Every structure is written in structure tokens, then in C-alpha cells.
Amino acid sequence: QSVLTQPASVSGSPGQSITISCTGTSSDVGNYNLVSWYQHHPGKAPKLIIYQGSMRPSGVSNRFSGSKSGNTASLTLSGLQAEDEADYYCCSYAGSGTLVFGGGTKLTVL
Amino acid sequence: QVQLVESGGGVVQPGGSLRLSCAASGFTFSRHGMHWVRQAPGKGLEWLAFIRYDGSTEYYADSVKGRFIISRDNSKNTQYLQMTSLRTEDAAVYYCAKDPRPLSSTTSGWFDYWGQGTLVTVSS
């Protein structure tokens, strides 16, 4: 069960857009439409922001969007705000009932 | 509202055992699969285990297979993680997470609610 690859950090200024990539393999990201994304403020419970690649749960800002191409999924956050500063994790179903996370990306709002 | 409250964390020696609990409320616990996820200090999230809504099926990450056991008591709205043969690398914050689809034969593939976590320290 390999870890999905995410950039360690991304940054952007308020109002800008950023994209976080999540690269897996044909055994996980590329094989299932089951990539999810989580926002994690340290010390708090992680929060689901995208599921099934591009679906947004009720109550999550439409500034968050998700997509996938081949073995790589992406999270785009538009109109950056200070409160978006957090760690972001992707997760994919990997078959046989197992799940695998990315290493996480620290978003800094400049 | 959905609440997941983990407990049972603490300090344990290498080779020791510990049982974590996750008390659930705000939803029909017996209809949903549940997961355990952990985060070691300075590291990312790691999925550990899933248990079906009725407790009949379990899945584990290779890193804990044979050492950790996930279980649940639907009469108490609680799931558990029995951890044995603990190693220093098992030190982490352990999170309980809910699977979104009710009465699903396997995991939905994501988590819609998480607890705040409980800290496990493995040290001599």
C-alpha cells in the first residue's frame, strides 16, 4: 500500500487560486472514481471537502473543486482566504477494502 | 449532529498493548461502517482499518495486519481498536472516522466525519 504523491507545500495570495496534485497508480487513483480530499487544521478533526473525485459535500464552499486525469487527481481552491491555510490530504480507494492517503500538502496563504 | 469521541490513548512501552475506543452519536451507528486512521508526529495521515456496519468484515493496512484488531459493539455505539506488539513507529494521534453509505457491504471509499483523535505514545 503505497502513499499517494502530493507536493509538500503550496502557497498563494488572498484571492488567488491554487491547485494541489495527487499522483497514484493504475491500482488506486487511476482505477477507481474514489478520490477524496480532506482539510486538516492541526489539532482539529480532518474535514471532508471532496469525495468521488469531484463531489462536494453539503456546506463545503464551492471555491473547492476536484478533478482527475489518469493516475493524477487534483484539488483546486479559488479565491484564497486566510482561513484556507491548512494541511490538505488526498485519499483513494486501493482495492480489497483498503484505502491509501497522500503525504499531505501544507497550504500557506501569503 | 454527528459526534465521534476517541479515548484510551496514553503511554505504553514497546511490545505492549492498548485498546482505543470511539463513542459515536448523532447517527444510526449500527448502519455504518467505521474506520481508524492515524497521524504520526510530523507525518501524514495513514488509513489503518475498516469494519463493516454489522462487524462481519474487516480490512487492514499491511502495516498493522496481525497486530491490530478492529471491532465494534453496536449496542454501545462504540468501535474499538485493539493494538498489540506496539512499536515506537506506532506512536501517533489515532482518529476514528465514519463511512458515509449506510448498510454498505464494503467501504464507500471515503470518510464523512472524523473524531478529534487520541494520542498514543510508545516509549520505554
Side-chain angles (χ1 to χ4, degrees):
Chain A
Q1 293 147 350
S2 302
V3 174
L4 308 177
T5 300
Q6 297 181 233
S9 63
V10 298
S11 62
S13 299
Q16 288 187 329
S17 296
I18 60 96
T19 296
I20 299 172
S21 62
C22 169
T23 301
T25 69
S26 57
S27 297
D28 38 61
V29 174
N31 198 35
Y32 305 97
N33 189 31
L34 288 175
V35 173
S36 52
W37 291 88
Y38 303 87
Q39 178 189 63
H40 189 204
H41 289 102
K44 293 195 167 185
K47 176 185 176 183
L48 174 68
I49 51 176
I50 295 287
Y51 66 98
Q52 287 185 313
S54 61
M55 304 296 291
R56 219 173 26 250
S58 172
V60 171
S61 171
N62 59 8
R63 297 185 297 109
F64 291 96
S65 62
S67 63
K68 191 186 87 166
S69 177
N71 295 338
T72 298
S74 298
L75 173 72
T76 297
L77 177 51
S78 60
L80 272 179
Q81 300 176 0
E83 61 260 35
D84 297 329
E85 188 161 294
D87 298 321
Y88 291 83
Y89 292 89
C90 63
C91 179
S92 175
Y93 183 68
S96 301
T98 66
L99 296 156
V100 62
F101 277 97
T105 299
K106 181 176 180 61
L107 169 62
T108 300
V109 180
L110 301 170
Chain B
Q1 70 281 21
V2 172
Q3 277 201 304
L4 299 170
V5 180
E6 303 91 339
S7 62
V11 181
V12 61
Q13 292 187 336
S17 300
L18 205 59
R19 188 178 82 155
L20 306 182
S21 299
C22 169
S25 61
F27 66 102
T28 306
F29 180 74
S30 60
R31 293 168 63 88
H32 287 268
M34 296 294 293
H35 301 262
W36 286 98
V37 177
R38 71 183 176 187
Q39 183 176 33
K43 303 283 188 179
L45 299 172
E46 179 187 14
W47 174 82
L48 298 179
F50 166 82
I51 186 166
R52 204 172 106 140
Y53 66 95
D54 58 0
S56 64
T57 302
E58 303 151 31
Y59 299 109
Y60 296 93
D62 289 343
S63 59
V64 302
K65 197 176 297 182
R67 298 189 302 124
F68 290 11
I69 296 175
I70 188 172
S71 63
R72 63 190 296 157
D73 185 339
N74 286 345
S75 68
K76 295 182 178 178
N77 289 348
T78 301
Q79 74 155 344
Y80 305 97
L81 186 67
Q82 178 68 49
M83 305 186 293
T84 61
S85 302
L86 282 162
R87 308 165 180 166
T88 54
E89 56 264 35
D90 293 318
V93 175
Y94 284 72
Y95 295 98
C96 165
K98 173 180 167 287
D99 201 89
R101 281 205 311 251
L103 303 176
S104 178
S105 60
T106 186
T107 173
S108 306
W110 69 95
F111 326 93
D112 58 351
Y113 290 95
W114 299 62
Q116 297 256 10
T118 187
L119 178 63
V120 172
T121 301
V122 183
S123 173
S124 54

